[in-house]
Amino acid sequence: MTQRKLGADDVRQLYEQHGAALLLYARCFVVDRGLAEDAVQQVFLKLLRGETDTLETPLAYLYRAVRNTALNTRRTSARNVGLQEQDCWFAHRGGNREAELALQQALAELPDEQREVVIMRIWSGMTLDEAAAATGVPLNTAASRYRYALGKLRQHMQPYRKEQVNLRNE
Amino acid sequence: MNEHDEQFEDFLREFTPAQPVALPNQPETLREIGEPALVWPRRLAAAAAIAIAAAGSAWFASRKPVSLASRFAQPQSQTAQIDKAAGKNRAALRLTKFALEDLARFDEALSETTPTGLPRFDQPNSSLHVLAQ
């Protein structure tokens, strides 16, 4: 696989498109929002300075790099902040704060390998093929992880979906 | 992927992950975040401090050695002055003792001590000479 350097505009575009999803991904490893943001920014700043060559699929590289940086941050950081003390990971379109927290909790409870496929697919718009390549597993494995994760999230979020449907019907 | 899954995916997409802070625009700002801009001045300051310390050590080592005995040895004139002052004190104590116990011996001792132990009053600047005037 050939390596190339991304231009500053490409890097900024990637940050705008996927920064939020990558931050969400980083927060699965580092609960503290500030530390998670630092991890994401470190990765993008290295790209901006041209210190790193990316592979053909920059998004897959970004997920791997953010994961490694966030894990390093978690190891070196002595801070251990409880989930409840943190601000929410999401903003719901309808402003349902309770649903936001429920999704955050449900996502946090997923195993790492299931959570990362969900984030890649739902909030970064990657196909399952791309997610499989990014995580270095066969497509079938990525697909089954995704299916399991979706099942758990659906179960957890059921009350909030019903609520939404009821509101729509009214 | 069935229809239910797609509906649930759409439901999940109603939740937007929090946006991170914007990337800095200026390269200087980038340097500050990744690698502090003060690295070179700091390195120069550290090198200067090491050079000064080395030069100081070399200068100190090249100085003429001074023996400890000579450093603590007092000048002869100073020692003589101390001895003289101690002698005067001893004479004064002796005189006081005789004055209290034996007046005859006091007179003798006073006549012996007067030329050396008591303050002179024949010098032009002595206080006794001034008072006598």
Side-chain angles (χ1 to χ4, degrees), chain A residues 8 17 27 37 61 69 75 85 88 94 98 119 125 143-144 161:
Chain A
Q17 284 177 353
R27 291 180 83 173
E37 278 197 2
Y61 161 79
T69 313
R75 269 193 290 273
E85 294 168 37
C88 196
E98 209 180 327
I119 294 173
S144 70
R161 287 188 76 196

Side-chain angles (χ1 to χ4, degrees), chain B residues 36-82:
Chain B
L38 289 173
V39 164
W40 278 106
R42 280 179 190 163
R43 283 178 188 167
L44 276 176
I50 291 167
I52 288 168
S57 309
W59 171 79
F60 189 78
S62 66
R63 281 195 326 167
K64 214 175 182 180
V66 182
S67 76
L68 212 58
S70 66
R71 183 179 290 182
F72 290 106
Q74 287 169 331
Q76 259 187 337
S77 60
Q78 202 178 342
T79 318
Q81 277 177 0
I82 292 168

Side-chain angles (χ1 to χ4, degrees), chain A:
Chain A
M1 205 174 272
T2 57
Q3 292 195 327
R4 67 189 174 109
K5 274 194 165 53
L6 292 171
D9 288 342
D10 296 328
V11 176
R12 289 186 187 282
Q13 200 178 348
L14 278 170
Y15 189 75
E16 278 173 25
Q17 284 177 353
H18 302 285
L22 286 163
L23 174 61
L24 174 63
Y25 185 55
R27 291 180 83 173
C28 297
F29 304 104
V30 185
V31 180
D32 183 83
R33 179 182 173 134
L35 292 176
E37 278 197 2
D38 286 350
V40 174
Q41 285 225 347
Q42 267 181 46
V43 172
F44 276 92
L45 290 174
K46 274 185 183 171
L47 283 176
L48 272 179
R49 285 194 222 106
E51 291 174 8
T52 317
D53 293 332
T54 56
L55 300 173
E56 281 297 313
T57 51
L59 201 50
Y61 161 79
L62 284 172
Y63 270 94
R64 270 198 307 276
V66 166
R67 179 196 169 94
N68 292 340
T69 313
L71 285 172
N72 282 340
T73 304
R74 187 167 71 181
R75 269 193 290 273
T76 53
S77 167
R79 294 174 70 178
N80 187 11
V81 188
L83 202 63
Q84 285 74 21
E85 294 168 37
Q86 295 298 306
D87 58 342
C88 196
W89 295 359
F90 295 100
H92 182 236
R93 198 192 295 161
N96 189 338
R97 177 80 178 156
E98 209 180 327
E100 288 168 3
L101 290 170
L103 180 58
Q104 177 175 329
Q105 188 69 39
L107 206 61
E109 284 172 9
L110 288 179
D112 289 352
E113 65 276 8
Q114 291 179 17
R115 184 171 50 231
E116 63 188 1
V117 184
V118 171
I119 294 173
M120 286 174 189
R121 173 99 183 98
I122 302 289
W123 290 288
S124 259
M126 292 165 83
T127 63
L128 283 176
D129 261 333
E130 288 169 333
T135 50
V137 295
L139 173 61
N140 282 342
T141 309
S144 70
R145 284 177 181 173
Y146 183 66
R147 216 171 31 250
Y148 278 121
L150 227 52
K152 287 176 192 168
L153 290 177
R154 187 184 285 118
Q155 200 177 351
H156 207 99
M157 298 303 290
Q158 199 60 35
Y160 306 99
R161 287 188 76 196
K162 272 184 187 167
E163 195 179 292
Q164 204 169 10
V165 172
N166 290 341
L167 281 172
R168 275 182 199 151
N169 291 340
E170 281 169 16

Side-chain angles (χ1 to χ4, degrees), chain B residues 63-119:
Chain B
R63 281 195 326 167
K64 214 175 182 180
V66 182
S67 76
L68 212 58
S70 66
R71 183 179 290 182
F72 290 106
Q74 287 169 331
Q76 259 187 337
S77 60
Q78 202 178 342
T79 318
Q81 277 177 0
I82 292 168
D83 289 347
K84 199 175 169 186
K88 277 183 182 174
N89 286 340
R90 275 198 296 274
L93 278 171
R94 195 162 150 253
L95 282 172
T96 309
K97 192 183 171 193
F98 289 149
L100 292 171
E101 293 171 358
D102 189 349
L103 285 174
R105 288 189 72 185
F106 171 68
D107 286 337
E108 273 176 43
L110 190 59
S111 339
E112 282 170 21
T113 315
T114 304
T116 54
L118 293 177

Side-chain angles (χ1 to χ4, degrees), chain B residues 9 28 33-34 41 52 93 97 106 121 128:
Chain B
E9 284 181 338
E28 287 78 11
I33 290 171
I52 288 168
L93 278 171
K97 192 183 171 193
F106 171 68
F121 55 88
L128 284 176

